[in-house]
Amino acid sequence: MTDAAVTVLDGKVVERRGELGVVETAAGRFLALVVSETDAVEVAIRADAITLTAPEDAPPADETSAQNHASGVIRDVETGESIVQVTLDIGAEAPLRATITSSSYERLGLAPGRETVA
């Protein structure tokens, strides 16, 4: 579990904001860096760039610098010596993978079947 997993979601750019684009995916809309003029894109999300929060503790979008939020249900957990890879069903064909510390996993009380916000 030493490689950072990457989730790739197919999407369509539905709005452009300078270098950023609003991308519609099966899991909802994501704000992403869009480097070409094409509308068909892939959104790549690195597992080590994701934070997890209980739904009731998730800050409103206007109170954080995080541009994207995805709600999901934990489907699988792979534990390492000091990290945990959490697999979330976010409503897309590809699951979202998040790599967090073992202490965060325990502190947040995460487990398969639990809802969370990434």
Side-chain angles (χ1 to χ4, degrees):
M1 206 178 0
T2 57
D3 292 338
V6 177
T7 299
V8 179
L9 302 174
D10 292 326
K12 179 181 179 184
V13 178
V14 295
E15 180 184 341
R16 293 182 186 272
R17 302 176 186 169
E19 299 87 353
L20 300 175
V22 177
V23 180
E24 185 73 44
T25 74
R29 290 185 173 202
F30 289 85
L31 188 62
L33 180 64
V34 178
V35 294
S36 69
E37 293 301 316
T38 185
D39 288 338
V41 297
E42 293 179 329
V43 177
I45 308 166
R46 285 179 47 125
D48 60 348
I50 295 174
T51 61
L52 299 179
T53 308
E56 61 274 9
D57 296 332
D62 62 349
E63 293 181 11
T64 178
S65 64
Q67 296 297 314
N68 298 300
H69 298 92
S71 295
V73 176
I74 298 173
R75 293 294 178 217
D76 189 43
V77 174
E78 183 180 338
T79 58
E81 190 173 325
S82 58
I83 62 172
V84 176
Q85 187 164 79
V86 180
T87 301
L88 301 167
D89 178 353
I90 58 169
E93 185 174 322
L96 180 66
R97 291 187 174 83
T99 302
I100 62 174
T101 63
S102 298
S103 60
S104 292
Y105 181 80
E106 291 172 13
R107 182 174 35 80
L108 294 170
L110 300 175
R114 177 143 186 233
E115 290 187 30
T116 190
V117 175

